Amino acid sequence: MIDYKKQIEELCLLHTGLSEQDIERIVELAESFQQSEVQDDVFIDVLSSVSDEAIVVYHRRPSKQESLYKRPVAGERALRENEPGVLRTLETGIMTQGLIANTQENHLVRQTVYPIKNEAGVIAVVIYEKNVSDNIQAHFNMMGTQCEDSEMSSMLTAMLRFKDSIINQLEDAVLVFDKHGFLKLKNKQADVYYKQLGYLEDIEGLHYDNLSLDQTTFSDVIKQHTLSPCYPSTTDVKAAERYYQVKRLFISEEDLSVGVILHDVTEIKKKEAEIVSKSVAIREIHHRVKNNLQTVASLLRIQARQCESPEAKKSLNDSVSRVLAIAATHELLSTEIDAQVDLMDVIRLIASNISRCFVHDSVQMDINSTESICLDSDRTVAIALIVSELIHNSYEHAFDDAAQGHITIKATLKDELVTVVVADNGAGFSVEEASQKSLGLSIVRSYVKDKLMGKLNIVSNQDGTTVTFTFKK
């Protein structure tokens, strides 16, 4: 690892006439940057005592994002024609804010420059840099404020004033038209895009009306600017089986008038179409699974009606309830756009199915939740089976024919923990004995532990039964 303190001292002694105290102050400032988090590339530059340029003596890369620089920059020169703000602040002692610069690695950035002074004047500057090219893409995703959009126009103009290699680094096509609507400036990506669109000639010098992708004319654009001068327009267009986002900017520079940036979003559109197609296919699968499960339930019912053994009939009817509980989840999944299901929708559907199976008009069921709780399909199926077993058990064992029964189901979400409570005011049972004999209770315990990775609590006495299970959302 490079010793930045030693590097600062050596570079300052080599290129400047700064005193030991001044160099020590620069080192202390660098040390403060080393010990703190920074969002941008931060530099300390000093003025060369032998040439009209600045020297980079320190570079701190961003703490949580990628630096704009691939190689070490300390020791590199900052030239006036590339970084005017740095030299201006070194010479005048006045802060420079948001001035565009061309870096040592040929990137366009905005620099904010602060002076470091002693009693005699400026000894160094601190520079914060933001990537301009990234800001171009960000403007496609939102309508900016008047300030942001005017800044983008100046970015575009500044790019055109630098070397061709700067603007040609952009992945988007850039076209700038003069006040008569003729193409005056463009980058290489513009040539690529228009060749894909079938243009055989060099597009430079062509009129806007011959290059427009969305049937707007140059007079339309100027009229729009007259009516709404504060905001540029952004539209989506399709041309030659490709999709583009088109942004127009109005430029008040000499004879330049309109800037157009084209961003190819074809791959994004294809991905979106694939996602929609897969979503439809998945929903269709859930629908077919639901139909198949209902067919299985019908076959089990037929088998149960033909059984003479009460025990076999009960077992088959219990299986019907379990199959329908799983089918209920797939029924809801077949109507959802994503793979998330509202837990309470599943519980209500299961409760409705079970209540129709039992002739027990005196039993009242209350289902409530303080909020929507959406879960993935795997866990929803597990909860469907658990709740089905618990409701089924309450209907079957908690109440006699004359009892006024009450079943309550409640779900809550707190601190990323989901808690489901199924309670009745029935006769109760021996939890210890039931745990050894009941298949339904064994399913409940197994699913809470293995499928939900949760905890289960059962309390049952003469006042009723309350089953609570909790798991992480």
Side-chain angles (χ1 to χ4, degrees):
M1 182 177 179
I2 298 174
D3 186 343
Y4 67 92
K5 296 181 182 180
K6 183 177 180 182
Q7 188 175 57
I8 291 172
E9 293 172 354
E10 291 178 349
L11 289 171
C12 286
L13 290 173
L14 179 63
H15 294 281
T16 75
L18 294 174
S19 66
E20 291 183 4
Q21 291 82 0
D22 292 336
I23 296 173
E24 184 177 352
R25 186 175 176 189
I26 294 172
V27 169
E28 289 175 354
L29 185 60
E31 189 172 9
S32 69
F33 285 125
Q34 287 292 122
Q35 295 175 355
S36 60
E37 292 190 352
V38 295
Q39 297 180 350
D40 307 311
D41 282 286
V42 179
F43 300 88
I44 299 177
D45 285 15
V46 295
L47 185 64
S48 171
S49 59
V50 296
S51 59
D52 185 24
E53 60 190 21
I55 306 297
V56 182
V57 297
Y58 171 77
H59 176 204
R60 171 76 161 93
R61 295 176 182 272
S63 308
K64 296 183 179 180
Q65 64 188 39
E66 188 176 355
S67 171
L68 300 176
Y69 295 82
K70 302 299 182 184
R71 64 175 189 268
V73 188
E76 295 277 352
R77 300 180 301 161
L79 305 178
R80 187 180 298 276
E81 59 265 34
N82 290 335
E83 302 184 51
V86 173
L87 275 299
R88 172 183 177 271
T89 299
L90 279 167
E91 292 170 346
T92 66
I94 301 172
M95 183 187 78
T96 301
Q97 187 169 9
L99 204 62
I100 286 183
N102 185 15
T103 71
Q104 288 83 359
E105 294 187 11
N106 214 23
H107 293 293
L108 209 59
V109 297
R110 280 200 181 275
Q111 292 182 331
T112 298
V113 187
Y114 298 93
I116 306 171
K117 299 180 180 180
N118 62 10
E119 295 179 357
V122 179
I123 60 174
V125 291
V126 175
I127 308 160
Y128 294 84
E129 289 188 355
K130 291 184 179 296
N131 191 354
V132 167
S133 300
D134 289 346
N135 292 342
I136 292 287
Q137 179 57 45
H139 277 72
F140 274 102
N141 302 326
M142 65 187 73
M143 286 299 293
T145 64
Q146 180 179 354
C147 177
E148 289 169 341
D149 290 325
S150 63
E151 179 189 22
M152 190 173 176
S153 295
S154 67
M155 285 180 193
L156 183 57
T157 306
M159 281 184 177
L160 297 166
R161 285 181 173 12
F162 275 108
K163 301 175 184 177
D164 290 341
S165 58
I166 293 292
I167 196 169
N168 286 328
Q169 288 177 9
L170 295 177
E171 296 180 356
D172 301 323
V174 178
L175 305 97
V176 179
F177 298 85
D178 65 19
K179 60 184 179 181
H180 302 293
F182 293 97
L183 182 62
K184 185 173 182 179
L185 298 164
K186 61 180 172 61
N187 66 349
K188 289 182 179 179
Q189 197 62 33
D191 291 328
V192 173
Y193 281 12
Y194 278 87
K195 282 182 180 178
Q196 292 174 345
L197 294 169
Y199 285 71
L200 300 178
E201 60 182 320
D202 186 353
I203 63 174
E204 188 166 341
L206 294 182
H207 195 269
Y208 178 97
D209 293 357
N210 289 328
L211 297 171
S212 174
L213 301 184
D214 58 357
Q215 299 180 347
T216 60
T217 64
F218 188 73
S219 60
D220 293 333
V221 175
I222 298 301
K223 185 183 296 182
Q224 181 187 15
H225 177 48
T226 304
L227 296 174
S228 180
C230 295
Y231 297 98
S233 62
T234 303
T235 56
D236 293 337
V237 300
K238 181 181 179 182
E241 302 304 315
R242 300 195 72 80
Y243 296 87
Y244 300 91
Q245 282 182 335
V246 183
K247 186 155 191 169
R248 299 177 190 83
L249 300 157
F250 299 100
I251 303 171
S252 300
E253 287 279 338
E254 299 176 355
D255 64 335
L256 302 180
S257 177
V258 176
V260 176
I261 303 176
L262 301 178
H263 177 55
D264 191 335
V265 293
T266 305
E267 294 304 316
I268 296 175
K269 292 289 185 182
K270 287 181 179 179
K271 294 295 182 183
E272 289 175 351
E274 288 177 8
I275 291 171
V276 171
S277 177
K278 288 179 181 178
S279 175
V280 171
I282 290 171
R283 288 160 63 187
E284 176 63 22
I285 290 170
H286 284 301
H287 180 71
R288 293 186 182 185
V289 170
K290 183 262 296 184
N291 289 342
N292 289 339
L293 289 172
Q294 289 180 334
T295 300
V296 172
S298 297
L299 293 173
L300 291 173
R301 284 197 190 99
I302 294 171
Q303 188 70 37
R305 285 196 293 269
Q306 294 177 350
C307 277
E308 297 181 358
S309 167
E311 291 81 4
K313 187 183 294 288
K314 180 182 180 305
S315 296
L316 288 170
N317 284 330
D318 288 348
S319 296
V320 168
S321 295
R322 290 164 186 149
V323 170
L324 289 178
I326 299 173
T329 302
H330 287 284
E331 181 177 351
L332 290 173
L333 283 167
S334 69
T335 63
E336 296 292 333
I337 295 177
D338 55 25
Q340 297 282 310
V341 185
D342 192 315
L343 175 60
M344 299 313 294
D345 287 344
V346 175
I347 291 176
R348 290 187 186 96
L349 189 55
I350 291 168
S352 176
N353 290 339
I354 294 177
S355 64
R356 289 198 297 266
C357 297
F358 290 88
V359 183
H360 223 314
D361 296 335
S362 59
V363 176
Q364 179 184 354
M365 190 178 305
D366 291 330
I367 303 173
N368 60 78
S369 176
T370 57
E371 58 189 306
S372 175
I373 303 173
C374 293
L375 301 170
D376 58 84
S377 58
D378 289 341
R379 289 189 297 172
T380 305
V381 169
I383 296 168
L385 281 169
I386 293 167
V387 173
S388 175
E389 293 294 336
L390 296 174
I391 298 174
H392 196 280
N393 187 68
S394 293
Y395 266 107
E396 194 168 54
H397 302 293
F399 316 110
D400 57 39
D401 292 338
Q404 291 293 321
H406 189 195
I407 301 174
T408 302
I409 306 170
K410 184 177 181 181
T412 58
L413 173 63
K414 184 178 181 181
D415 298 332
E416 292 299 307
L417 292 177
V418 178
T419 300
V420 180
V421 179
V422 180
D424 64 54
N425 62 344
F429 62 93
S430 170
V431 177
E432 185 176 347
E433 291 182 9
S435 298
Q436 299 174 355
K437 300 178 181 179
S438 171
L439 174 61
L441 195 56
S442 297
I443 292 174
V444 170
R445 289 187 183 280
S446 174
Y447 272 59
V448 170
K449 179 182 177 182
D450 300 329
K451 301 290 186 181
L452 301 179
M453 306 299 177
K455 62 178 181 178
L456 176 71
N457 183 45
I458 303 174
V459 177
S460 187
N461 51 43
Q462 67 275 10
D463 297 323
T465 301
T466 300
V467 179
T468 306
F469 59 96
T470 302
F471 59 95
K472 189 173 182 180
K473 187 176 185 298

